[in-house]
Amino acid sequence: QVQLVESGGGLVQAGGSLRLSCAASGSIFSFNTMGWYRQAPGKQRELVAGVTSGVSTNYADSVKGRFTISRDNAKNTVYLQMNSLKPEDTAVYYCNAVRVANPLTYNYWGQGTQVTVSS
């Protein structure tokens, strides 16, 4: 059973930085993509950033230039460096991992970590 454990959330003032970590219970080589999603109260969960096994990355327009996703295969960990945080970044952040084993696709989620940005 795959487990994803997030850490690094917390309370920060606007303009500050946080780094989220997502540690996987096994090798992240097995995942086709990994990413970070967020969900604010009353809103749908949205993709923040993703990274493929080939280390291609993609970002939501709202975080481009401020957030950076990276992966450390040796530590089976994916990171989200968040700089210049804004109050609208406040949300629960979830780690996601996808494994494709045709014809099946497996989706795994962490438990979430709260990020609160005060103005």
Side-chain angles (χ1 to χ4, degrees), residues 36-48 89-94 113-115:
W36 289 92
Y37 287 71
R38 67 186 180 188
Q39 188 166 20
K43 295 188 176 181
Q44 288 190 328
R45 190 173 297 189
E46 62 174 358
L47 175 67
V48 176
D89 295 318
T90 295
V92 178
Y93 283 70
Y94 297 92
T113 185
Q114 177 70 47
V115 171

Side-chain angles (χ1 to χ4, degrees), residues 47-50 57-65 67-70 80:
L47 175 67
V48 176
T57 58
N58 63 289
Y59 297 92
D61 288 342
S62 59
V63 307
K64 282 180 181 177
F67 291 11
T68 302
I69 189 170
S70 61
L80 184 67

